[in-house]
Each structure stands twice: as structure tokens, then as C-alpha cells.
Amino acid sequence: MQRERPEMVPTERAAVVPHRSAREAITVGMGEVRVTRRATDILVAHGLGSCIALCVRDPAARVAGMAHIVLPQRPERGGDTVGPVLGAKFADEGVPFLMEAMEREGAAVNRLKIALVGAAQLFATVGGARLDIGNRNILVVLQALKERGVGIDAHDLGGNWGRTCQLWASDGRIVVRTIGACERELAVLGTKSTATGKNE
Amino acid sequence: MTPTTTPRLTVAQPLPLPLTRERLLESIETLPALPEVALKVTRLVDDPGVGASEIGRVISTDQVLTARVLRLANSAFYGVSRRIGTVQEAVLILGMRTIKTLTLAASMYPTLQREVRGYSLGKNDLWRHSIACALCAQTLAKKAQPQAVSQLGPVTPDEAFVAGLLHDIGKMALSVHLGPRFTLVRDRALTEKIPFLEAERAVLGLDHAQAGAAMAEKWNLPASLADAIACHHNPLGAQHGNVGLACTTNIADGLCLSLGIGVGGDGLLSSLQTEAVEALGLSGRLDEVADEFLAALQDAESLFEFDRAA
């Protein structure tokens, strides 16, 4: 999903995002899942490359969550998992992990508003092949969502640039900063989801 | 005790184009220098007649460096169950080659933790990218197929670590010249669908890999290291015997960028060479490498957060 790089000029809405200091930014690290009911929380995935920030919100239950998905699937190694277990390290495990965490907090899967951000690609190599983690992440996430009967409401995916993604728990706004370029509001995951970004 | 000589990088105003290696080096009024202690340790470790106590003694002459080396040695990444209190102890427990890499990392920290505005890298971003690449390259050197590597030149884990640590040092020197021309370079890369590095060369006359290699030579670092830095985006172009080292650096850089570690304004407009992956015998195993590397990164957070405690 190759996208036009966003312009350097911030959008009017993103530029006037107010009162950040009154809110609390919760970093969602690589492979982590965060779910919150606190309206003052802003869930943030920093420095997304080929990773995907899966942002979900149930406007009725006022529950928001984010999974920072890193790789499409657990590699077939035949051995034990290496390192600490992270719920969203792999897309095929991260999607149900986030859904279940949301449901435990009172969200209903069929009410969820969903946005996907990230999945950038390394530039094609001389040989024409590429480390295709971003595209494979997209495919596995979409398949896992489809299996649960939910679709996405907004997305900012692909390209060759890094992103930082915020999900505001209060109203469901998704703010995407393209590293070295602009910050803009992609969508609002509200009762009636609105996509404000040009990628939707 | 001698205080650490903090590497300094004072760069003049943007030069007229095209840049050349000589003009770039001249424009850096004070070249970032590796502290003498770090250079000395690097030389001593390669001397078979030198023991652990001598290495420890040399590092201990620099108080600040000693503190940083001990902090790294005690990080969760190295998994030592008890607290290491002296450098001599660290040398005995971790080994001289590990101490060499720790000393270099600790020495480079003041330079690499800086903001690199031309590349939209904030404070600590280049450090995070560099230390992650160093760890990833070390992992790759251990996982590479020995038969494959033997044809490309030997790659030891500590050499791979150092090349990964220093591969983007040229960005420090090029930043001030790139800054005002960033849009020009980026647009060239996007319009012509070429890697950012090629666009740097086309617009500025010099790319960050060439600039980094020039700095490594100025520091009198081994020629194989300067070559790996010069060719980290074109590893098969390295001189015979250095290809393996350049390949580990290229893959580590690509993986770290792909995982979003230290991504700047140049984004992911760089290539991970399929040929490099094949050359190391790692085809089809990159997800496995990425998985293991991510697990190692969990333990390495203390290295990333170095500034808070240093």
C-alpha cells in the first residue's frame, strides 16, 4: 500500500491539539498491548517502521486499546519462545489478545472502531526482493480481523517512512506524526467514525 | 584520574556543493575523536601478550569511562547475576573482547546521543539505532553460516558489534550540510525511486556512508571497519575479506530501521540487500533473527536508557 508522503505543513486540527500536559501519554512498546478506560490517557506507539499500531475503541463502553504489532507470525523454530512473552509481538496472536483484553474491560467486539497505522517498507533492494514485514503484517492483521467479523474504519499504512501514532482515549482521535514531516489527525473513532486523513 | 575526552564535533556552516571527502573533513573544525583510552584498549585487546589486569588498569585511568563501562557491564543484557564492582572484575567475568566493545560503546555515547537535526533524529535516537544495530550485528555474526562466512572474510561478534555501532557516524558530519537541503534530497529519492543514500550523493556530492568511512580513517580505526562503514548500504561492494562484516552491518541496519528503531527523516528509504542475507546463509531465517533480536532488546533497554543513569 504505497502512499503519498504527507506534506510538511501540519493540518489545522493537528496543529491546535490542546492541553497535552493535562493528559497522560502511555507508551505502547514493541509487542505490547495497552487497554484503558481513563479518558485522560493517550496511547502512543513511537517510531513505527514495519510495525503496526492496531488502534481500537468502543465508543459506547468508552474503552480504548492499542497493540504494537511487530512481526506477522511466530517463526517456526520448533523450540521454546525466546525471551519474554509479549502479547502483540506477532500479528496472528496480537489481534485476539487485544480483543480479549478489550472485552474484559467491557467492550463489545461488534461495536469496535478500528484504525491501523504503520507497516512501512524498506526500500526495494538491488535484487528486487525486500524485507517484506510491513506488507505481511497488514495481511495477517486484516485476516485476523476478518475472522472476527470486524473491518477497519481508518488506516495510514505503507510508504517508506517512520510514524508515531496516538490514540486519544477521550474521543478516539488518531493522530499520526510522520517522522521528519507533519503531524495530522487521521480519524476519530467515535460513535460515528470519521476519517479526517486523506488516506481514508 | 584523567577525565574522559568528550568527543567533539564542531561543524561550520553548510558548505557549497558538491561536497568532497576532503572539504567535509576540513569543515569539521574539531573532529570527533575517540578517547585515547578507548583506542589504547582496542589495541591492547588485540595484543596476545596483554592480560586482563592491564586492560582493567588502562580503563580505570578514566573515571567517567570506568563508570559507564561498569554501568553497561551490569546491565541486564549481559545477565551477570551479581554486581560487578570494578573494571578488572568486569574484564575477568565478561572477557576482554566484550570489554573492548563496551569501552567503545561507552566512549561513543557522548557523540551518538546528540540530536542529529539534519536527519530529524532527536536526542538519543542515533544512539538507540547504533546500539541496537551493534547488538543485532552481533547476533547475526553468531547465527551466520560458518561456511558462507569463511568465503567472505571472518566476522567475529565483537567486530560486528563495533561496525554496527559506528556505521551511521557519518550522519553526524553530514547533518549540517543536509539540513537546509533535506527536502531536495528526499524529493529526489522519492521522485527517482532511489535510496536516500544515492540521493544524498546526487545532491550533496557525498553520502553519509562515505563521510563515516572518512571519519573512521581519521580515527585510525582498522581499514576493515572503515570499509564496512563505507559499504553498509552496498555490502557486496566491500573489499574482499570485508564483505562478511559489511553484510552483517547492512542486515542489522535494515532490520533496525524496519523495526522502527532510530528512524529519522530519511525513513526507510534504504535497502536491505537480499544478496547480503544469502551471503551469510540466512535466507528465510530473517523473521527468526528478528524474533531473537527483539527478545535480546528487552534486556537491552538499560543500554538505551543509558543517559538517565550515566
Side-chain angles (χ1 to χ4, degrees), chain A:
Chain A
M1 295 192 188
Q2 191 71 14
R3 298 286 178 187
E4 186 185 339
R5 188 184 176 97
E7 293 302 315
M8 296 288 282
V9 183
T11 62
E12 189 180 343
R13 292 191 71 171
V16 295
V17 168
H19 308 308
R20 284 218 183 145
S21 56
R23 299 177 180 270
E24 188 178 358
I26 311 289
T27 297
V28 185
M30 281 195 288
E32 291 181 348
V33 169
R34 292 278 185 272
V35 171
T36 182
R37 299 177 62 89
R38 283 195 308 188
T40 51
D41 285 351
I42 302 173
L43 303 178
V44 187
H46 293 282
L48 294 165
S50 58
C51 300
I52 289 181
L54 168 58
C55 309
V56 299
R57 183 168 180 266
D58 180 342
R62 294 186 173 275
V63 182
M66 183 187 284
H68 187 150
I69 290 164
V70 186
L71 294 167
Q73 285 156 322
R74 187 181 297 279
E76 291 177 16
R77 222 185 350 260
D80 294 328
T81 300
V82 177
V85 176
L86 294 167
K89 189 171 178 181
F90 305 105
D92 58 340
E93 298 171 4
V95 173
F97 191 92
L98 175 61
M99 296 296 170
E100 286 160 20
M102 290 290 290
E103 285 179 317
R104 278 197 298 276
E105 292 299 319
V109 171
N110 61 1
R111 286 198 303 253
L112 290 181
K113 305 297 177 187
I114 299 177
L116 301 181
V117 175
Q121 297 291 340
L122 276 171
F123 202 79
T125 67
V126 174
R130 60 173 62 182
L131 179 68
D132 210 15
I133 293 175
N135 271 338
R136 289 188 288 132
N137 275 342
I138 294 173
L139 292 174
V140 177
V141 168
L142 290 178
Q143 179 61 32
L145 291 173
K146 190 179 171 187
E147 286 168 7
R148 280 152 192 81
V150 287
I152 59 172
D153 298 274
H155 64 84
D156 183 2
L157 297 166
N160 306 112
W161 46 87
R163 300 170 172 91
T164 288
C165 173
Q166 298 178 354
L167 166 57
W168 290 51
S170 56
D171 57 7
R173 87 182 69 169
I174 304 286
V175 178
V176 179
R177 183 172 70 83
T178 302
I179 298 171
C182 68
E183 180 176 286
R184 68 199 181 95
E185 189 175 290
L186 173 70
V188 178
L189 302 180
T191 313
K192 292 178 183 175
S193 277
T194 55
T196 57
K198 63 185 174 185
N199 284 353
E200 182 55 20

